[in-house]
């Protein structure tokens, strides 16, 4: 403010000098409008009026210096007054204009800030919508998958009797010949193959039957790490044979989880077996458990227990990823995989209120991420 | 040596035949087959088995009913019965054997080793 005044008055002085040097030329007086406008624009109305008065005074002084004031004092006073009023009017006009301009700027700034906020809000809403949509779609897929599994189970229950009796007959026959000396190596192999075939068929029909009559969950607070260790024990032999190293990164003091021990071990053994099958020439299996805080988001906050199973195999081809959880989906040669493994895994996890995601690691190999809720809201 | 007598009841002759052939080949068992469930009691009275292998799903009379009739006969009241069934699932039998409602169940198809072990277990007790 002070600076504005100083600059304005300086300018008045300069104009006054110019005015004085150019004599009584009236048009030079218009130059006073520059400091008046300047002062009003930057200093406001009062500053503008002050500069206007100063300008009028400066003009009066220059006239008096040039001609003396005795000749026509009334004319001089009149001229000074009209000039001063004109200057004052311009000052007021300028100050008002400046004020309007400032208000306008403030309004625009406020409006655009609000607009930005709205855009952000809208984006968030859209993001939420997308998420909900994705969740819905996933739920839909799961429903379809569940229906499919249920049908598999029902079908299995229906045909189990018809299939298992013939299998029993074949099995008994094979067992009989296996008790007897064989005439050649090939014969022994044939018998063993037959026995394996019966076992394989039995395995599948049993898996399918388990869908038809799932026994009720037996939930007991369990230590996840212990179940992992138990399951690792079950596959230890296979791992040793294939030269697979196991790295454990198990977080101690995890909260106990309500789990069905047998079924959960079934899940882990399945995941470990898949990993082993992906690393026929050896590799590293990493099992990592951890406790994670979850805040806000679409689902309920709290803490989750995470279990990650990583291998150093080739990973899962992107085109296979969407199908791996489907019943009977396998990329393994006939006889080596039923394709029921992951379908069962997911089903068991879901009835526990837990979740599984399978993907590839950026370093190569696959990673299964299991998420457990220590206090599930509702169990089916 | 006194061979243990086992009565095998299943409506499928090929199953009882297979069991008979296998168990008798071991030399320690004597087997009689029944393929018509209503004949089971009569056969049991004649044969005086040490143990009964009994299919559950059979036409005319199911395994449960056959077992109940056998139990009504004083001399057969304590004869161990092992049920053979094609309808229980793997989980229920924990991979082959189960003990449901005080009875032994074997899930079909049962392999010879499991069968012999189950029979010997019941015969010892
Ligand atoms: N760790 C893994 N690395 C690479 N591919 C995997 C891995 N785990 C699963 N897969 C892929 O997912 C498919 C489906 O797995 P799933 O366990 O359901 O069936 P499977 O292993 O083929 O058969 P089964 O489990 O009955 O032996 C596999 O055939 C394989 O292609
Ligand atoms: Mg598998």
């Amino acid at each position: 403010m002070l600076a504005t005044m100083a600059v304005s008055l300086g300018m008045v002085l300069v104009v006054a000098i110019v005015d004085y040097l150019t004599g009584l030329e009236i048009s030079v007086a218009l130059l006073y409008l520059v400091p008046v406008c300047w002062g009003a624009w930057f200093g406001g109305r009062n500053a503008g009026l002050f500069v206007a008065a100063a300008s009028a005074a400066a003009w009066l002084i220059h006239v008096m210096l040039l001609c003396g004031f005795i000749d026509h004092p009334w004319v001089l006073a009149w001229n000074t007054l009209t000039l001063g009023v004109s200057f004052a009017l311009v000052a007021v006009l300028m100050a008002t204009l400046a004020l309007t301009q400032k208000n306008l700027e403030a309004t625009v700034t406020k409006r655009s800030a609000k607009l930005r906020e709205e855009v952000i809000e809208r984006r968030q809403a859209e993001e939420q919508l997308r998420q909900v949509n994705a969740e819905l779609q996933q739920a839909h897929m799961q429903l379809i998958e569940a229906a499919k599994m249920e049908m598999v189970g029902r079908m299995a229950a229906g045909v189990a009797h018809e299939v298992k009796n013939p299998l029993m007959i074949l099995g008994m026959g094979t067992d009989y010949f296996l008790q007897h000396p064989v005439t050649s190596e090939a014969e022994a192999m044939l018998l063993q193959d037959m026995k394996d075939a019966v076992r394989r068929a039995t395995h599948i029909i049993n898996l399918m039957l388990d869908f038809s009559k799932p026994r009720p969950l037996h939930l007991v607070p369990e230590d996840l790490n212990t179940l992992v260790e138990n399951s690792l024990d079950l596959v230890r032999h296979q791992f040793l044979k294939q030269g697979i190293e196991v790295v454990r990164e198990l977080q101690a003091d995890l909260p106990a989880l309500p789990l069905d021990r047998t079924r959960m071990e079934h899940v882990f053994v399945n995941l470990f077996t898949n990993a082993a099958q992906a690393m026929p020439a050896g590799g590293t299996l990493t099992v990592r458990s951890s406790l994670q805080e979850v805040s806000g988001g679409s689902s309920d906050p709290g803490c989750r227990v995470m279990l990650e199973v990583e291998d150093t195999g080739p990973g899962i081809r992107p085109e296979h990823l969407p199908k791996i959880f489907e019943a009977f989906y396998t990329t393994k040669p006939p006889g080596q995989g039923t394709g029921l493994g992951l379908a069962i895994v997911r089903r068991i996890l879901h009835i526990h209120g837990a979740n599984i995601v399978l993907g590839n690691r950026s370093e190569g190999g696959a990673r299964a991420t299991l998420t457990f809720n220590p206090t599930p809201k509702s169990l089916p | 040596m006194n061979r243990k007598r086992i009565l095998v009841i299943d409506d499928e002759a090929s199953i009882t035949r297979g069991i008979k052939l296998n168990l008798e080949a071991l030399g320690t068992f004597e087997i009689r087959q029944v393929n018509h469930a209503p004949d089971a009691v009569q056969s049991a009275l004649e044969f005086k088995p040490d143990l009964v292998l009994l299919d559950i799903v059979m036409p005319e009379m199911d395994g449960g009913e056959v077992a109940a009739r056998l139990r009504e006969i004083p001399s057969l009241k304590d004869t161990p019965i092992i049920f053979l069934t094609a309808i229980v699932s793997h989980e229920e039998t924990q991979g082959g054997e189960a003990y449901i409602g005080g009875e032994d169940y074997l899930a079909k198809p049962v392999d010879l080793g499991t069968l012999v072990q189950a029979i010997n277990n019941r015969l010892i007790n």
Side-chain angles (χ1 to χ4, degrees):
Chain A
M1 185 68 185
L2 267 175
T4 313
M5 287 307 289
V7 171
S8 307
L9 292 180
M11 280 156 61
V12 170
L13 193 65
V14 170
V15 174
I17 291 167
V18 172
D19 206 1
Y20 176 74
L21 294 178
T22 49
L24 283 173
E25 194 64 57
I26 189 73
S27 62
V28 177
L30 287 177
L31 284 179
Y32 288 107
L33 284 175
V34 174
V36 168
C37 286
W38 172 278
W41 185 267
F42 293 106
R45 199 177 58 187
N46 290 344
L49 287 175
F50 183 76
V51 177
S55 298
W59 182 81
L60 177 63
I61 291 167
H62 117 274
V63 172
M64 285 192 332
L65 283 179
L66 284 177
C67 343
F69 70 112
I70 349 258
D71 287 2
H72 310 284
W74 292 112
V75 173
L76 191 59
W78 172 251
N79 281 347
T80 308
L81 194 69
T82 43
L83 207 63
V85 168
S86 311
F87 288 165
L89 274 177
V90 170
V92 169
L93 214 72
M94 213 57 190
T96 312
L97 214 68
L99 200 69
T100 315
Q101 158 84 5
K102 239 182 262 160
N103 283 346
L104 205 73
E105 253 170 34
T107 312
V108 167
T109 319
K110 219 162 70 191
R111 288 246 172 99
S112 47
K114 208 167 142 202
L115 213 68
R116 242 196 314 277
E117 238 167 64
E118 274 172 12
V119 167
I120 290 171
E121 256 170 43
R122 207 170 46 243
R123 266 201 213 126
Q124 277 171 348
E126 272 170 11
E127 183 52 38
Q128 255 169 17
L129 205 73
R130 230 195 316 275
Q131 237 173 37
V132 169
N133 205 10
E135 274 168 27
L136 252 168
Q137 208 155 10
Q138 208 193 344
H140 181 68
M141 293 304 293
Q142 278 169 12
L143 264 177
I144 291 178
E145 193 57 27
K148 202 159 122 189
M149 297 296 272
E150 204 197 307
M151 209 161 84
V152 167
R154 267 212 301 269
M155 241 170 60
V159 300
H161 186 255
E162 298 318 308
V163 174
K164 285 181 153 203
N165 275 330
L167 283 175
M168 174 100 183
I169 296 165
L170 292 173
M172 279 292 138
T174 321
D175 277 338
Y176 179 75
F177 286 110
L178 274 168
Q179 306 300 312
H180 288 71
V182 288
T183 56
S184 69
E185 185 75 7
E187 209 177 286
M189 221 145 84
L190 182 65
L191 283 173
Q192 197 53 53
D193 286 348
M194 285 167 68
K195 195 167 163 78
D196 286 345
V198 169
R199 195 173 297 144
R200 238 166 62 196
T202 308
H203 179 63
I204 296 202
I205 195 86
N206 278 334
L207 282 178
M208 287 162 66
L209 263 180
D210 286 341
F211 285 112
S212 68
K213 292 188 278 178
R215 97 192 134 74
L217 272 188
H218 182 56
L219 294 181
V220 173
E222 298 275 8
D223 174 39
L224 190 70
N225 294 341
T226 309
L227 300 195
V228 166
E229 286 296 349
N230 290 350
S231 312
L232 280 172
D233 256 2
L234 292 175
V235 294
R236 198 183 49 194
H237 207 71
Q238 185 67 27
F239 278 28
L240 268 176
K241 212 166 73 184
Q242 281 178 232
I244 293 171
E245 194 201 344
V246 178
V247 175
R248 294 166 172 81
E249 296 176 12
L250 302 176
Q251 180 176 330
D253 313 324
L254 290 175
L257 297 171
L259 300 176
D260 185 313
R261 167 182 282 252
T262 318
R263 288 184 162 174
M264 213 34 79
E265 286 176 1
H266 188 95
V267 165
F268 299 152
V269 167
N270 252 307
L271 294 176
F272 297 157
T273 307
N274 277 350
Q277 285 167 343
M279 303 185 286
T284 306
L285 177 106
T286 307
V287 195
R288 184 179 308 117
S289 64
S290 58
L291 188 65
Q292 312 252 320
E293 292 291 332
V294 186
S295 53
S298 56
S299 49
D300 53 328
C303 57
R304 302 272 190 284
V305 176
M306 309 267 280
L307 186 79
E308 289 166 297
V309 179
E310 301 176 348
D311 63 55
T312 54
I316 302 160
R317 295 247 290 275
E319 65 266 32
H320 294 157
L321 265 177
K323 310 200 82 177
I324 49 175
F325 284 108
E326 281 180 19
F328 299 115
Y329 184 80
T330 179
T331 59
K332 289 163 193 169
Q336 286 190 28
T338 62
L340 281 172
L342 286 176
I344 294 173
V345 161
R346 191 167 69 173
R347 184 170 148 129
I348 293 177
L349 286 171
H350 279 177
I351 56 178
H352 275 88
N355 201 16
I356 177 167
V357 177
L358 216 75
N360 290 315
R361 304 192 303 144
S362 51
E363 311 90 310
R367 172 192 291 129
T369 309
L370 284 63
T371 316
F372 296 90
N373 197 340
T375 46
K377 276 181 310 195
S378 59
L379 282 175
Chain B
M1 199 187 106
N2 171 15
R3 293 196 298 175
K4 295 291 182 188
R5 281 187 304 277
I6 296 175
L7 187 67
V8 184
I9 307 165
D10 192 314
D11 59 305
E12 283 213 42
S14 37
I15 287 182
T16 56
R17 262 203 307 272
I19 292 175
K20 180 179 163 76
L21 204 59
N22 271 298
L23 291 180
E24 286 190 342
L26 297 173
T28 49
F29 300 109
E30 189 186 333
I31 310 294
R32 179 177 290 195
Q33 319 170 48
V34 175
N35 299 121
H36 186 223
D39 299 344
V41 174
Q42 189 54 40
S43 276
L45 282 172
E46 290 167 18
F47 187 57
K48 298 185 182 61
D50 297 302
L51 183 143
V52 178
L53 281 179
L54 181 52
D55 185 26
I56 291 184
V57 180
M58 290 184 290
E60 292 181 76
M61 193 185 284
D62 69 25
E65 197 178 337
V66 172
R69 292 199 180 187
L70 291 179
R71 295 265 187 262
E72 279 170 12
I73 298 160
S75 60
L76 295 171
K77 198 162 58 76
D78 297 319
T79 308
I81 298 177
I82 296 176
F83 286 98
L84 280 178
T85 174
I87 53 169
V88 288
S89 81
H90 187 60
E91 265 192 6
E92 281 169 321
T93 57
Q94 291 297 323
E97 285 175 84
Y99 201 68
I100 307 170
E103 303 284 4
D104 263 346
Y105 283 77
L106 285 179
K108 286 180 181 179
V110 59
D111 69 57
L112 188 57
T114 313
L115 181 63
V116 171
Q117 202 182 6
I119 291 172
N120 286 335
N121 278 347
R122 288 309 299 271
L123 286 178
I124 290 163
N125 297 337

